[in-house]
Amino acid sequence: MHYCKKIKVIFCVVALVLFSSSVLAEGSSLRLRSANLTVYEDDYLLNADAEINFGSEIEKAILKGFVFNFLIEFQLLTPKKYWFDDEVATVVQHVSLSYHALTRQYIVMRNDQQRAYATLDEALEDLSIIQDMKVFQEADVEKGERYQAVLLMRLDQKKLPKALQIEGMTSSEWKISSQRFEWTPNLFK
């Protein structure tokens, strides 16, 4: 009798773990994996990599022709000990993802450049790579100063159609936002 109770408890725990992982797998997620700054001439360029997964509701909405706009927000700060951090540079880049039903292609629009892909996975791969995004100039920073870089990527819910904005307020699947990715860049090598 005692072993039956233990087996039931173990079965319940295993079922709960399997159920929760399947629920999490279906949701949308956005996670920044890495970011760094490189120098090209007098400009600092941001390179970053993200992991983006869409849930079934978002995939259906894309196939229906809705455009999804993403914001890539970068900040360079000078940390202060007893006061607010000083903002050195703030840059926001807009990237959009849509589906063109006539050509059956997924379109990624970044900096007035349009790229077409045959599958959603290919389009998400392009969307997840931030490459050579100009964020500030060498004249904006001082040698010997310590800086903090902050990067955030998120779905711009304000640009969704009104029907999807309302659904986005009630469903967590539509709240696609990365964690706040922070690092201390080595600006003067």
Side-chain angles (χ1 to χ4, degrees):
M1 188 66 118
H2 183 63
Y3 291 108
C4 288
K5 286 183 181 179
K6 282 187 176 181
I7 290 173
K8 284 182 184 179
V9 169
I10 291 172
F11 178 74
C12 288
V13 168
V14 169
L16 183 64
V17 168
L18 290 175
F19 176 73
S20 64
S21 66
S22 68
V23 168
L24 290 175
E26 287 191 26
S28 300
S29 65
L30 174 60
R31 186 179 70 85
L32 293 169
R33 292 188 279 208
S34 65
N36 63 39
L37 295 171
T38 58
V39 181
Y40 179 73
E41 294 178 355
D42 289 337
D43 296 327
Y44 277 91
L45 308 175
L46 172 69
N47 294 303
D49 185 33
E51 180 181 323
I52 303 172
N53 296 306
F54 285 162
S56 59
E57 289 296 315
I58 292 182
E59 288 183 14
K60 288 177 193 174
I62 289 173
L63 287 174
K64 288 180 183 177
F66 291 109
V67 177
F68 285 84
N69 293 286
F70 288 86
L71 298 174
I72 301 168
E73 301 168 322
F74 172 84
Q75 271 192 322
L76 186 68
L77 307 168
T78 306
K80 299 295 181 193
K81 198 170 197 174
Y82 299 110
W83 196 245
F84 297 109
D85 296 340
D86 286 339
E87 185 179 310
V88 177
T90 299
V91 177
V92 178
Q93 184 182 68
H94 301 270
V95 182
S96 67
L97 172 66
S98 60
Y99 179 71
H100 192 267
L102 190 59
T103 60
R104 295 184 179 169
Q105 292 181 323
Y106 293 89
I107 309 296
V108 175
M109 190 79 158
R110 184 189 313 253
N111 294 334
D112 297 329
Q113 292 181 340
Q114 178 176 311
R115 293 187 182 148
Y117 298 96
T119 67
L120 179 59
D121 288 338
E122 291 173 344
L124 288 177
E125 182 67 29
D126 182 4
L127 187 66
S128 68
I129 296 172
I130 303 164
Q131 190 171 8
D132 296 338
M133 178 178 153
K134 182 181 169 185
V135 287
F136 61 93
Q137 294 185 324
E138 203 168 346
D140 296 334
V141 294
E142 296 176 20
K143 197 169 191 165
E145 189 77 40
R146 197 174 128 248
Y147 294 97
Q148 184 75 25
V150 179
L151 180 62
L152 181 72
M153 186 174 180
R154 64 184 171 88
L155 176 66
D156 189 1
Q157 290 188 328
K158 293 177 184 173
K159 290 197 176 180
L160 289 174
K162 293 295 180 194
L164 293 180
Q165 284 182 13
I166 292 169
E167 189 172 334
M169 291 172 17
T170 60
S171 172
S172 63
E173 185 172 350
W174 294 89
K175 292 181 176 83
I176 304 173
S177 180
S178 71
Q179 78 281 16
R180 186 177 156 104
F181 192 88
E182 298 182 22
W183 76 101
T184 304
N186 187 4
L187 299 180
F188 299 99
K189 292 182 181 180

